[in-house]
Amino acid sequence: MRKFQVNVNGKAYEVEVEELGAGASMSPVAMAAPVAAAPAVAAPVVAAPASVGAGEKVVAPMPGKIVAVKVSVGQEVKEGDLVAVLEAMKMENEIFASASGKITSIVKQVGDAVEGNDVIVTIA
């Protein structure tokens, strides 16, 4: 038997380990101190995604992060109006309304990561 000190999550445990020779069968490891179970970690709380409203969808042209949303639900916009700013590859890209109408939903908020073709806002 050989004794070792093992550190687990900052707590020291003394263990005894039996060294096996060639062809020997394994036996349980004797422990001088009980091993404490790792503390449970709570799952992160994730907000439910916003629902996509009716109408024309304004989508992200590339992956990135939303750094500004320039419209609000119910606001009237014209085709070509600025609706959001997307940061991708250290550059800010302006996202414009693809149709005229009223904003029916804002799906992505400031700080949200988006992939290409993710809906940012909808216009009806």
Side-chain angles (χ1 to χ4, degrees):
M1 288 283 201
R2 295 180 69 187
K3 282 189 177 185
F4 293 94
Q5 182 173 352
V6 179
N7 289 314
V8 178
N9 293 332
K11 190 168 183 176
Y13 297 93
E14 187 177 296
V15 295
E16 290 182 6
V17 179
E18 182 178 350
E19 192 170 342
L20 298 177
S25 64
M26 293 189 353
S27 62
V29 175
M31 296 183 57
V35 176
V41 178
V45 176
V46 178
S51 61
V52 176
E56 178 81 18
K57 293 170 179 60
V58 178
V59 299
M62 65 192 85
K65 182 172 106 174
I66 301 295
V67 294
V69 176
K70 302 291 189 176
V71 294
S72 57
V73 174
Q75 179 180 340
E76 290 284 336
V77 294
K78 294 183 198 136
E79 184 175 350
D81 284 354
L82 179 65
V83 295
V85 179
L86 172 72
E87 181 184 280
M89 297 177 1
K90 307 252 185 214
M91 294 180 61
E92 290 189 355
N93 301 280
E94 295 178 327
I95 310 299
F96 300 100
S98 54
S100 296
K102 191 179 284 193
I103 300 294
T104 57
S105 70
I106 299 174
V107 180
K108 299 294 182 182
Q109 302 297 324
V110 173
D112 287 352
V114 296
E115 294 296 324
N117 294 321
D118 280 0
V119 177
I120 300 171
V121 300
T122 55
I123 303 168

